[in-house]
Amino acid sequence: MPGFVDEAQLHVKGGDGGAGAVAFRREAHVDKGGPDGGDGGKGGDVWLVADRNVASLYGFRDHPHRRAGNGTHGSGKGRHGRSGEDLIVPVPEGTVVRDLDRQVIADLSGEGDRWLAAAGGQGGKGNARFLSNRRRAPAFAEQGEVGVEAWYDLELKLMADVALVGFPNAGKSTLISRISAARPKIADYPFTTLQPNLGVVRFDDAEYVVADIPGLIEGASEGRGLGHQFLRHIERARVLVVLIDLAGSEGRTPAEQQRILLDELGDYQPELLARPRIVVGSRSDLSGGQSDDGWQGPRLSAVTGDGLQPLLGEMATLVSRARAELPRPVSFAVHRPVPAGIVVQRDMSGDWVVLGRQAERAVALSTLTDVEALAFAQNRLKSLGVDRALARAGAREGDRVHIGSFQFDYSED
C-alpha cells in the first residue's frame, strides 16, 4: 500500500518548439513562386494543479520527471506545425513549490489553483515570414525554442480543520480512530505514528477534517526529532487540540506538558498561539484520578468514550467560527521572469555571454552560413542594442561572445 509522502523533488521540461520550414512554391504555370515555408508549432507547457483527490506526493517519489509534448515542424505550402500538448500535473491541496535555493515559488493551497512550472518553447518562423521588398527569396528560417527545464522541491502542508497536538503516546491516534474512519497504527510505544493521518468527522450537521500529527518532543521547533517535518502540517489548521497525557508522558506533569507543547508551537511559528485551541487531558482511564494527576481542565478517554461528545461539539463550534472569520487561503506565485531586454555578463573562462530571449531568437536561424541569414541576424542584434551593450561591458577586439548556441569573435565595427 502506498505510503504518505510529504516531500519530493520534481523535474519539469516544457516541450520544444518546432522549427520553421524553408520551402518555395513550386507549381506548374507559376513563374518564380515565392517562399511558403510554414511556422513550427509551440511546445506544450507544464502546469501544476491542486487536486483534492490527490492525497500525497507519493507519485513523485520514484518518478520525478514530467515533460510536455514538443511542437512539430512547419512544412511547405504554408503549413504550420502542430502545437505540443500541455501537461497537467495534479498535486495535493497545500503543496508548496520551492526552487533549489529553498525560496517559495508557488503555494497551491486550494482546489483548482494552478501554476506554470515550465513554459514550452515558441515555434520557429518559416521562411515565408522573412519575405520583404529587399529579400525576395529568403533561404532561411528560425529554429524552434527549447522548452524551460527546471528542478523544484515540493513540500506538502496538510489542509485540515483541526490538528491534534501532543507528545508521543498521548492518545492522538486512538482518538482519531474513534471519531473517524481513519485507521492509523496504534501501539503502546513512542513514535508509533510517523506520518500524519487525516480523518473526516461528522457531528450533528457539521463535517470537518482532523489531522493526527506525529508526536512532538522538546526541541521540535529547532528540528529535533523531525520536528519541522511534523510541525509544518499544523500551519494551515484552523483549530488546535492539545492533548495532555494524564497517564504521564516520560514522567512530566500535565502542567509541564502544556508548557512545553505551547512553547514549541510558539517558537516554530508565533501566530500558532493565536489560533483557536482546546486543551484537554487525554487517557483519563489510565490516570489515578483527578486528585492524583492534578489536572483541572476537561478530561477525555478515547477508549471508554468519556468526554468525547463535549469535545466533538466544541471542535465543531470552533471550526465553524474559524471558517466564517478566516478567508480562504489565497494561492500565490512568485514569478521569476526572464529579464527584459539584453543582459551581458562574463563567464568563468572570460568569454562574454549575452542573455535575453530576443537576442537568442535573433541567431536561432536554420543556417548562418547564408549571407542573407547572417545579415538578418546582425541587423536584429544591432537593433536590440547588443553591440552597444557589449561595448559598455568592456568587450575588446577578438573577444569570444556566446548567444545561445551561437558564438563569434567580437569586432568593434
Side-chain angles (χ1 to χ4, degrees):
M1 179 179 177
F4 179 86
V5 176
D6 56 4
E7 287 184 325
Q9 280 201 314
L10 170 66
H11 175 265
V12 290
K13 174 69 167 68
D16 297 337
V22 177
F24 295 90
R25 188 178 179 189
R26 292 289 184 266
E27 296 180 20
H29 313 297
V30 176
D31 186 31
K32 298 181 180 179
D36 66 353
D39 300 341
K42 178 187 178 300
D45 300 327
V46 180
W47 292 87
L48 300 189
V49 180
D51 185 344
R52 64 168 52 100
N53 294 317
V54 180
S56 82
L57 300 174
Y58 179 83
F60 303 99
R61 189 182 67 176
D62 299 322
H63 305 284
H65 300 281
R66 302 293 186 274
R67 178 169 183 158
N70 294 332
T72 60
H73 303 320
S75 57
K77 298 184 180 180
R79 289 175 293 193
H80 300 317
R82 185 177 64 253
S83 294
E85 291 188 8
D86 291 349
L87 179 64
I88 304 299
V89 181
V91 296
E93 292 178 294
T95 298
V96 176
V97 185
R98 299 179 184 269
D99 61 20
L100 297 186
D101 294 325
R102 302 299 297 165
Q103 299 298 311
V104 174
I105 301 267
D107 186 347
L108 307 176
S109 58
E111 170 75 12
D113 289 346
R114 55 195 289 129
W115 175 68
L116 179 61
Q122 293 295 322
K125 296 177 182 177
N127 68 333
R129 298 281 192 175
F130 299 101
L131 177 66
S132 67
N133 290 332
R134 296 179 57 187
R135 192 184 305 110
R136 303 306 301 167
F140 60 91
E142 274 185 339
Q143 298 292 337
E145 277 187 320
V146 175
V148 172
E149 184 173 7
W151 279 95
Y152 297 113
D153 288 327
L154 302 183
E155 180 181 283
L156 176 59
K157 297 179 181 178
L158 290 179
M159 304 290 291
D161 294 303
V162 178
L164 303 181
V165 183
F167 282 98
N169 270 39
K172 300 181 297 298
S173 297
T174 304
L175 176 58
I176 198 172
S177 68
R178 182 68 185 265
I179 63 179
S180 73
R183 291 296 176 264
K185 182 179 180 180
I186 300 173
D188 60 354
Y189 54 84
F191 296 106
T192 307
T193 302
L194 294 177
Q195 62 191 35
N197 295 292
L198 290 179
V200 177
V201 178
R202 294 175 178 84
F203 182 80
D204 292 339
D205 295 331
E207 182 176 286
Y208 48 91
V209 178
V210 177
D212 165 22
I213 307 299
L216 301 181
I217 61 175
E218 193 166 7
S221 60
E222 300 172 358
R224 187 181 173 205
L226 301 179
H228 286 170
Q229 294 187 31
F230 296 161
L231 279 165
R232 73 160 175 264
H233 293 300
I234 303 173
E235 290 183 28
R236 299 184 194 269
R238 295 183 171 96
V239 176
L240 305 181
V241 174
V242 180
L243 296 183
I244 305 300
D245 184 8
L246 299 183
S249 179
E250 298 183 1
R252 298 185 184 93
T253 65
E256 187 179 5
Q257 292 181 53
Q258 182 174 352
R259 177 189 61 79
I260 293 174
L261 290 171
L262 295 183
D263 284 349
E264 294 300 330
L265 292 177
D267 290 343
Y268 176 72
Q269 200 173 91
E271 53 265 34
L272 289 176
L273 296 180
R275 301 274 174 88
R277 69 172 179 264
I278 304 169
V279 181
V280 59
S282 68
R283 303 212 297 176
S284 62
D285 55 303
L286 298 180
S287 71
Q290 187 165 356
S291 58
D292 295 330
D293 55 43
W295 177 249
Q296 301 300 319
R299 308 168 74 85
L300 166 73
S301 171
V303 174
T304 65
D306 292 340
L308 202 57
Q309 292 303 308
L311 175 63
L312 294 178
E314 189 174 358
M315 288 163 60
T317 299
L318 292 181
V319 167
S320 177
R321 189 178 303 160
R323 285 174 175 173
E325 294 177 355
L326 294 178
R328 174 187 176 275
V330 179
S331 64
F332 67 91
V334 181
H335 297 286
R336 307 290 173 85
V338 176
I342 303 301
V343 177
V344 176
Q345 61 187 32
R346 209 156 197 173
D347 64 14
M348 297 295 291
S349 66
D351 292 351
W352 297 100
V353 180
V354 179
L355 302 175
R357 184 176 183 181
Q358 292 176 310
E360 292 172 6
R361 287 193 66 115
V363 299
L365 301 177
S366 57
T367 173
L368 287 174
T369 59
D370 180 87
V371 175
E372 283 190 333
L374 184 59
F376 177 81
Q378 289 175 329
N379 289 335
R380 286 184 69 178
L381 291 175
K382 185 175 182 180
S383 66
L384 291 171
V386 172
D387 52 348
R388 294 192 301 273
L390 284 167
R392 285 196 300 268
R396 296 288 183 266
E397 188 80 22
D399 286 354
R400 183 62 55 87
V401 179
H402 300 264
I403 305 178
S405 59
F406 178 67
Q407 61 182 25
F408 60 93
D409 294 331
Y410 177 74
S411 176
E412 294 182 0
D413 59 356

